[in-house]
mmCIF file of all heavy atoms in Angstrom:
data_model
loop_
_atom_site.group_PDB
_atom_site.id
_atom_site.type_symbol
_atom_site.label_atom_id
_atom_site.label_comp_id
_atom_site.label_asym_id
_atom_site.label_seq_id
_atom_site.Cartn_x
_atom_site.Cartn_y
_atom_site.Cartn_z
ATOM 1 N N SER A 1 159.902 -44.387 81.424
ATOM 2 C CA SER A 1 158.538 -44.669 81.889
ATOM 3 C C SER A 1 157.866 -43.402 82.402
ATOM 4 O O SER A 1 156.675 -43.165 82.174
ATOM 5 C CB SER A 1 158.569 -45.745 82.969
ATOM 6 O OG SER A 1 159.346 -45.321 84.083
ATOM 7 N N ARG A 2 158.604 -42.572 83.096
ATOM 8 C CA ARG A 2 158.030 -41.328 83.601
ATOM 9 C C ARG A 2 157.741 -40.352 82.471
ATOM 10 O O ARG A 2 156.736 -39.626 82.497
ATOM 11 C CB ARG A 2 158.981 -40.701 84.616
ATOM 12 C CG ARG A 2 159.086 -41.507 85.913
ATOM 13 C CD ARG A 2 160.273 -41.061 86.742
ATOM 14 N NE ARG A 2 160.248 -39.620 86.947
ATOM 15 C CZ ARG A 2 161.330 -38.896 87.250
ATOM 16 N NH1 ARG A 2 162.505 -39.499 87.373
ATOM 17 N NH2 ARG A 2 161.223 -37.598 87.437
ATOM 18 N N ALA A 3 158.615 -40.317 81.446
ATOM 19 C CA ALA A 3 158.352 -39.447 80.296
ATOM 20 C C ALA A 3 157.132 -39.938 79.527
ATOM 21 O O ALA A 3 156.343 -39.134 78.997
ATOM 22 C CB ALA A 3 159.579 -39.401 79.390
ATOM 23 N N ASP A 4 156.976 -41.260 79.450
ATOM 24 C CA ASP A 4 155.794 -41.803 78.774
ATOM 25 C C ASP A 4 154.515 -41.412 79.515
ATOM 26 O O ASP A 4 153.497 -41.057 78.899
ATOM 27 C CB ASP A 4 155.921 -43.325 78.682
ATOM 28 C CG ASP A 4 154.772 -43.948 77.913
ATOM 29 O OD1 ASP A 4 154.685 -43.718 76.693
ATOM 30 O OD2 ASP A 4 153.961 -44.648 78.554
ATOM 31 N N ALA A 5 154.574 -41.428 80.848
ATOM 32 C CA ALA A 5 153.409 -41.006 81.632
ATOM 33 C C ALA A 5 153.117 -39.524 81.405
ATOM 34 O O ALA A 5 151.946 -39.104 81.292
ATOM 35 C CB ALA A 5 153.656 -41.288 83.106
ATOM 36 N N ALA A 6 154.193 -38.709 81.332
ATOM 37 C CA ALA A 6 154.001 -37.278 81.068
ATOM 38 C C ALA A 6 153.412 -37.059 79.682
ATOM 39 O O ALA A 6 152.594 -36.143 79.465
ATOM 40 C CB ALA A 6 155.334 -36.549 81.209
ATOM 41 N N LEU A 7 153.799 -37.904 78.715
ATOM 42 C CA LEU A 7 153.246 -37.790 77.363
ATOM 43 C C LEU A 7 151.749 -38.091 77.372
ATOM 44 O O LEU A 7 150.956 -37.389 76.705
ATOM 45 C CB LEU A 7 153.998 -38.748 76.426
ATOM 46 C CG LEU A 7 153.455 -38.850 74.997
ATOM 47 C CD1 LEU A 7 153.519 -37.509 74.275
ATOM 48 C CD2 LEU A 7 154.228 -39.915 74.203
ATOM 49 N N ARG A 8 151.364 -39.128 78.104
ATOM 50 C CA ARG A 8 149.935 -39.457 78.168
ATOM 51 C C ARG A 8 149.149 -38.308 78.816
ATOM 52 O O ARG A 8 148.031 -37.981 78.393
ATOM 53 C CB ARG A 8 149.718 -40.734 78.981
ATOM 54 C CG ARG A 8 150.464 -41.940 78.455
ATOM 55 C CD ARG A 8 150.241 -42.164 76.976
ATOM 56 N NE ARG A 8 151.219 -43.083 76.401
ATOM 57 C CZ ARG A 8 151.536 -43.111 75.132
ATOM 58 N NH1 ARG A 8 150.960 -42.249 74.306
ATOM 59 N NH2 ARG A 8 152.424 -43.967 74.688
ATOM 60 N N THR A 9 149.740 -37.686 79.818
ATOM 61 C CA THR A 9 149.085 -36.536 80.439
ATOM 62 C C THR A 9 148.917 -35.401 79.440
ATOM 63 O O THR A 9 147.851 -34.758 79.364
ATOM 64 C CB THR A 9 149.907 -36.050 81.647
ATOM 65 O OG1 THR A 9 150.041 -37.120 82.589
ATOM 66 C CG2 THR A 9 149.236 -34.869 82.324
ATOM 67 N N ALA A 10 149.984 -35.142 78.645
ATOM 68 C CA ALA A 10 149.909 -34.070 77.651
ATOM 69 C C ALA A 10 148.836 -34.353 76.609
ATOM 70 O O ALA A 10 148.148 -33.438 76.131
ATOM 71 C CB ALA A 10 151.273 -33.896 76.983
ATOM 72 N N GLN A 11 148.671 -35.619 76.232
ATOM 73 C CA GLN A 11 147.680 -35.963 75.216
ATOM 74 C C GLN A 11 146.246 -35.771 75.716
ATOM 75 O O GLN A 11 145.319 -35.634 74.903
ATOM 76 C CB GLN A 11 147.901 -37.411 74.760
ATOM 77 C CG GLN A 11 149.171 -37.602 73.947
ATOM 78 C CD GLN A 11 149.460 -39.063 73.659
ATOM 79 O OE1 GLN A 11 149.003 -39.957 74.398
ATOM 80 N NE2 GLN A 11 150.203 -39.320 72.585
ATOM 81 N N HIS A 12 146.063 -35.764 77.033
ATOM 82 C CA HIS A 12 144.716 -35.606 77.582
ATOM 83 C C HIS A 12 144.468 -34.197 78.127
ATOM 84 O O HIS A 12 143.416 -33.933 78.693
ATOM 85 C CB HIS A 12 144.479 -36.638 78.699
ATOM 86 C CG HIS A 12 144.412 -38.048 78.191
ATOM 87 N ND1 HIS A 12 145.525 -38.831 78.042
ATOM 88 C CD2 HIS A 12 143.355 -38.809 77.787
ATOM 89 C CE1 HIS A 12 145.185 -40.023 77.582
ATOM 90 N NE2 HIS A 12 143.855 -40.036 77.412
ATOM 91 N N GLN A 13 145.492 -33.321 77.981
ATOM 92 C CA GLN A 13 145.300 -31.950 78.435
ATOM 93 C C GLN A 13 144.553 -31.149 77.378
ATOM 94 O O GLN A 13 144.765 -31.340 76.173
ATOM 95 C CB GLN A 13 146.656 -31.271 78.721
ATOM 96 C CG GLN A 13 147.352 -31.802 79.951
ATOM 97 C CD GLN A 13 148.687 -31.106 80.199
ATOM 98 O OE1 GLN A 13 149.195 -31.115 81.285
ATOM 99 N NE2 GLN A 13 149.236 -30.505 79.173
ATOM 100 N N ALA A 14 143.761 -30.262 77.814
ATOM 101 C CA ALA A 14 143.010 -29.422 76.876
ATOM 102 C C ALA A 14 143.699 -28.092 76.635
ATOM 103 O O ALA A 14 143.527 -27.473 75.580
ATOM 104 C CB ALA A 14 141.592 -29.176 77.415
ATOM 105 N N ASP A 15 144.492 -27.627 77.610
ATOM 106 C CA ASP A 15 145.059 -26.284 77.501
ATOM 107 C C ASP A 15 146.475 -26.271 76.934
ATOM 108 O O ASP A 15 146.954 -25.232 76.494
ATOM 109 C CB ASP A 15 145.074 -25.617 78.881
ATOM 110 C CG ASP A 15 145.805 -26.477 79.907
ATOM 111 O OD1 ASP A 15 145.964 -27.691 79.659
ATOM 112 O OD2 ASP A 15 146.234 -25.928 80.942
ATOM 113 N N ALA A 16 147.221 -27.396 76.944
ATOM 114 C CA ALA A 16 148.594 -27.426 76.433
ATOM 115 C C ALA A 16 148.884 -28.798 75.854
ATOM 116 O O ALA A 16 148.291 -29.794 76.259
ATOM 117 C CB ALA A 16 149.585 -27.095 77.551
ATOM 118 N N ASN A 17 149.791 -28.822 74.890
ATOM 119 C CA ASN A 17 150.136 -30.095 74.259
ATOM 120 C C ASN A 17 151.501 -30.598 74.712
ATOM 121 O O ASN A 17 152.123 -31.417 74.051
ATOM 122 C CB ASN A 17 150.104 -29.964 72.734
ATOM 123 C CG ASN A 17 150.915 -28.768 72.247
ATOM 124 O OD1 ASN A 17 151.613 -28.104 73.027
ATOM 125 N ND2 ASN A 17 150.813 -28.488 70.961
ATOM 126 N N TRP A 18 152.004 -30.095 75.837
ATOM 127 C CA TRP A 18 153.218 -30.656 76.436
ATOM 128 C C TRP A 18 153.067 -30.632 77.948
ATOM 129 O O TRP A 18 152.316 -29.834 78.506
ATOM 130 C CB TRP A 18 154.472 -29.898 76.008
ATOM 131 C CG TRP A 18 154.559 -28.467 76.501
ATOM 132 C CD1 TRP A 18 154.052 -27.367 75.914
ATOM 133 C CD2 TRP A 18 155.199 -28.022 77.711
ATOM 134 N NE1 TRP A 18 154.319 -26.240 76.645
ATOM 135 C CE2 TRP A 18 155.034 -26.620 77.760
ATOM 136 C CE3 TRP A 18 155.871 -28.668 78.745
ATOM 137 C CZ2 TRP A 18 155.533 -25.852 78.809
ATOM 138 C CZ3 TRP A 18 156.374 -27.903 79.784
ATOM 139 C CH2 TRP A 18 156.205 -26.503 79.813
ATOM 140 N N HIS A 19 153.796 -31.534 78.603
ATOM 141 C CA HIS A 19 153.674 -31.625 80.055
ATOM 142 C C HIS A 19 155.020 -32.031 80.636
ATOM 143 O O HIS A 19 155.699 -32.933 80.124
ATOM 144 C CB HIS A 19 152.618 -32.667 80.445
ATOM 145 C CG HIS A 19 152.506 -32.857 81.936
ATOM 146 N ND1 HIS A 19 151.942 -31.929 82.774
ATOM 147 C CD2 HIS A 19 152.925 -33.892 82.740
ATOM 148 C CE1 HIS A 19 151.988 -32.363 84.019
ATOM 149 N NE2 HIS A 19 152.578 -33.555 84.027
ATOM 150 N N LEU A 20 155.451 -31.354 81.709
ATOM 151 C CA LEU A 20 156.679 -31.664 82.424
ATOM 152 C C LEU A 20 156.315 -32.404 83.701
ATOM 153 O O LEU A 20 155.603 -31.877 84.559
ATOM 154 C CB LEU A 20 157.455 -30.378 82.756
ATOM 155 C CG LEU A 20 158.758 -30.561 83.542
ATOM 156 C CD1 LEU A 20 159.735 -31.469 82.795
ATOM 157 C CD2 LEU A 20 159.400 -29.204 83.820
ATOM 158 N N GLY A 21 156.765 -33.633 83.821
ATOM 159 C CA GLY A 21 156.418 -34.465 84.958
ATOM 160 C C GLY A 21 157.067 -34.011 86.244
ATOM 161 O O GLY A 21 157.954 -33.144 86.275
ATOM 162 N N LEU A 22 156.652 -34.635 87.330
ATOM 163 C CA LEU A 22 157.169 -34.300 88.642
ATOM 164 C C LEU A 22 158.609 -34.764 88.783
ATOM 165 O O LEU A 22 159.054 -35.731 88.154
ATOM 166 C CB LEU A 22 156.302 -34.940 89.730
ATOM 167 C CG LEU A 22 154.846 -34.463 89.798
ATOM 168 C CD1 LEU A 22 154.098 -35.246 90.868
ATOM 169 C CD2 LEU A 22 154.776 -32.964 90.080
ATOM 170 N N GLN A 23 159.350 -34.084 89.652
ATOM 171 C CA GLN A 23 160.752 -34.390 89.904
ATOM 172 C C GLN A 23 160.858 -35.300 91.115
ATOM 173 O O GLN A 23 160.265 -35.049 92.152
ATOM 174 C CB GLN A 23 161.524 -33.088 90.142
ATOM 175 C CG GLN A 23 162.999 -33.292 90.414
ATOM 176 C CD GLN A 23 163.720 -31.955 90.468
ATOM 177 O OE1 GLN A 23 163.715 -31.212 89.504
ATOM 178 N NE2 GLN A 23 164.293 -31.655 91.611
ATOM 179 N N HIS A 24 161.639 -36.386 90.965
ATOM 180 C CA HIS A 24 161.772 -37.359 92.050
ATOM 181 C C HIS A 24 163.022 -37.144 92.884
ATOM 182 O O HIS A 24 163.128 -37.673 93.981
ATOM 183 C CB HIS A 24 161.826 -38.782 91.466
ATOM 184 C CG HIS A 24 160.461 -39.244 91.015
ATOM 185 N ND1 HIS A 24 160.226 -40.538 90.634
ATOM 186 C CD2 HIS A 24 159.275 -38.585 90.879
ATOM 187 C CE1 HIS A 24 158.943 -40.675 90.276
ATOM 188 N NE2 HIS A 24 158.368 -39.495 90.413
ATOM 189 N N SER A 25 163.949 -36.395 92.354
ATOM 190 C CA SER A 25 165.236 -36.267 93.043
ATOM 191 C C SER A 25 165.223 -35.087 93.987
ATOM 192 O O SER A 25 164.229 -34.383 94.132
ATOM 193 C CB SER A 25 166.368 -36.113 92.014
ATOM 194 O OG SER A 25 166.413 -37.261 91.184
ATOM 195 N N ARG A 26 166.390 -34.860 94.593
ATOM 196 C CA ARG A 26 166.518 -33.790 95.577
ATOM 197 C C ARG A 26 166.319 -32.425 94.922
ATOM 198 O O ARG A 26 166.393 -32.277 93.708
ATOM 199 C CB ARG A 26 167.895 -33.859 96.236
ATOM 200 C CG ARG A 26 169.046 -33.633 95.268
ATOM 201 C CD ARG A 26 170.383 -33.800 95.966
ATOM 202 N NE ARG A 26 171.490 -33.533 95.054
ATOM 203 C CZ ARG A 26 172.037 -34.425 94.275
ATOM 204 N NH1 ARG A 26 171.578 -35.664 94.279
ATOM 205 N NH2 ARG A 26 173.032 -34.111 93.487
#
């Protein structure tokens, strides 16, 4: 689910076509 959210972010970015989501762990 988090990777899917990162994919949607990448699809709406203008400067890059990939996105690394935030880290939830320590």
